[in-house]
Amino acid sequence: MLPRENPFRSAAVDKLPYIFLDQNLSILQSRLKENGGRGAIVGPCGSGKTTLLDLLDQELVANGLPVSRIKIEHGDNYQTLSEKLSPATLHERCCALVDGVETLSRAAQLYLMFRLRRTEIAVVTAHRPTIYPTLHLTRVTPTLLVDLASKLAVPLSLNDSIALLTRHRGNIRSTFRELYDRMGSVAPLASGLEGHISSAAGHF
Amino acid sequence: MADLKVELDENALKPGETVRGRASWELQFDPNNIELHLLWYTEGKGSRDAEIVKSEPIPHVGPRGTHSFAFGLPDSPYGFSGKLISLIWSIELCVDGERAVERVTFNVAPSRLEIILKEIPNASPRKSISISRG
């Protein structure tokens, strides 16, 4: 199968929605409100934290709120953090969505909290609980993987899903990479290149 | 609702040739701007890459209309599929940024056919090298 036909190509995987297992976006938003607009989405690597942050981003934008997205990278220090949290990025009264806080030390998290004090909303993602109250725990189950694969029109058995998630330690992103390789060894579907891709909002 | 259409005269071209076609739109709102893009992008495993090679704003747009276009193609890159990625050429019709988008794909290669990169059968596997400090 050619990369452009592969159901697990990143363009298709990135469009998959976040699926709540035990609550919904309204509950998350209520918890956020109860906590004064502060909170964390916590979960292991590849469990959907960024996907959920994207969903929250869309919801805030749909409600007419200005959103600033900040990505914390490995190796970020006070100086790089200060640049990322500059007034140009972080408008007063904006909603700050900060991804990857687990790489920051406790002291750097406190600095982040200080810099976000004037924002209307501040939601962070991390692998472990942070100084912000935990709003939602992301996790992956074998049934969820079966469900997501079916959204990509790929039937996956529950046993296969269990084996995959065990091998990838619950990381759905790396599981999709293995499934991409598996599908890649299947014969190509089409030889010609002619197609139409429509989108009401956004591409790539 | 937006009804967008992009039609190409040919969907397999050589580098340096001109891709011609027509774009049409029927919208339930008055758009601020409509633009055509000639671009390539990659699809497959991992991060994606894309480049808008040329853009053409369509002047005096209304809720419905048609527009003929012609874009000269550059010498590269060629459209191809390997194991990890496919490189795809496209004409894209965008209404008010990304409010509504229609994309039609085509191939660009010297033979006009998509280049399929195959694995080298006798390629030696990667060897690991260990460096010891003496």
Side-chain angles (χ1 to χ4, degrees):
Chain A
M1 183 176 285
L2 300 175
R4 60 183 163 82
E5 300 166 334
N6 196 311
F8 294 98
R9 63 191 184 278
S10 43
V13 166
D14 290 351
K15 282 182 191 154
L16 287 172
Y18 182 81
I19 297 174
F20 284 93
L21 294 172
D22 47 12
Q23 52 169 270
N24 56 43
L25 190 61
S26 303
I27 296 173
L28 188 148
Q29 285 176 306
S30 303
R31 284 189 181 168
L32 185 60
K33 205 172 174 183
E34 285 163 19
N35 290 303
R38 302 289 181 265
I41 295 165
V42 179
C45 204
S47 62
K49 297 182 297 297
T50 305
T51 309
L52 179 54
L53 208 61
D54 290 341
L55 179 65
L56 188 61
D57 186 338
Q58 288 162 18
E59 186 68 15
L60 293 168
V61 169
N63 288 321
L65 295 165
V67 174
S68 288
R69 287 292 288 261
I70 297 144
K71 175 86 186 103
I72 307 291
E73 315 274 357
H74 276 283
D76 266 343
N77 52 33
Y78 284 100
Q79 192 184 336
T80 56
L81 203 55
S82 178
E83 285 162 12
K84 286 183 177 181
L85 303 170
S86 72
T89 322
L90 213 59
H91 311 287
E92 206 159 302
R93 318 304 302 168
C94 77
C95 303
L97 304 180
V98 189
D99 208 359
V101 164
E102 67 276 345
T103 60
L104 298 176
S105 67
R106 202 81 175 166
Q109 283 188 30
L110 280 167
Y111 174 70
L112 175 76
M113 198 178 192
F114 173 74
R115 294 298 300 260
L116 298 178
R117 70 193 183 284
R118 290 206 170 94
T119 57
E120 191 74 27
I121 284 172
V123 177
V124 303
T125 72
H127 293 161
R128 292 175 300 279
T130 66
I131 50 176
Y132 283 121
T134 300
L135 298 172
H136 181 78
L137 292 167
T138 57
R139 64 195 170 92
V140 178
T141 63
T143 320
L144 178 75
L145 177 59
V146 170
D147 195 9
L148 289 171
S150 75
K151 287 185 189 301
L152 298 171
V154 178
L156 195 67
S157 74
L158 194 59
N159 283 345
D160 203 4
S161 175
I162 292 166
L164 278 160
L165 288 175
T166 306
R167 197 155 54 244
H168 292 274
R169 296 176 183 181
N171 185 330
I172 208 153
R173 203 182 310 122
S174 94
T175 303
F176 282 147
R177 284 193 204 115
E178 182 181 332
L179 288 168
Y180 175 95
D181 291 338
R182 260 196 217 179
M183 298 301 286
S185 57
V186 176
L189 288 175
S191 54
L193 180 74
E194 185 182 13
H196 296 262
I197 303 159
S198 275
S199 161
H203 49 287
F204 303 122
Chain B
M1 283 292 289
D3 188 13
L4 308 179
K5 201 182 276 181
V6 181
E7 291 171 299
L8 301 180
D9 291 350
E10 284 181 277
N11 54 43
L13 295 108
K14 290 182 179 181
E17 287 187 334
T18 301
V19 55
R20 296 173 202 277
R22 286 151 308 285
S24 59
W25 60 95
E26 199 168 330
L27 309 165
Q28 289 180 343
F29 57 91
D30 207 4
N32 293 319
N33 60 70
I34 299 185
E35 233 178 359
L36 276 163
H37 301 302
L38 166 69
L39 71 148
W40 59 260
Y41 59 94
T42 62
E43 275 211 285
K45 197 177 183 181
S47 58
R48 284 161 282 160
D49 201 2
E51 185 182 331
I52 294 177
V53 178
K54 286 173 190 169
S55 290
E56 183 185 305
I58 300 175
H60 314 300
V61 291
R64 74 182 57 157
T66 48
H67 179 82
S68 294
F69 60 84
F71 287 111
L73 294 168
D75 293 336
S76 63
Y78 300 158
F80 73 90
S81 278
K83 190 178 177 184
L84 294 176
I85 60 161
S86 295
L87 189 144
I88 300 160
W89 278 90
S90 174
I91 296 284
E92 194 176 70
L93 178 67
C94 296
V95 177
D96 290 347
E98 293 177 5
R99 189 170 174 187
V101 177
E102 170 70 6
R103 192 188 295 166
V104 60
T105 59
F106 61 99
N107 194 50
V108 180
S111 67
R112 299 183 198 274
L113 298 172
E114 184 184 20
I115 297 164
I116 306 292
L117 302 175
K118 292 191 173 152
E119 272 186 86
I120 303 166
N122 295 323
S124 56
R126 282 185 186 175
K127 288 175 184 168
S128 60
I129 302 166
S130 62
I131 300 166
S132 57
R133 289 181 184 177

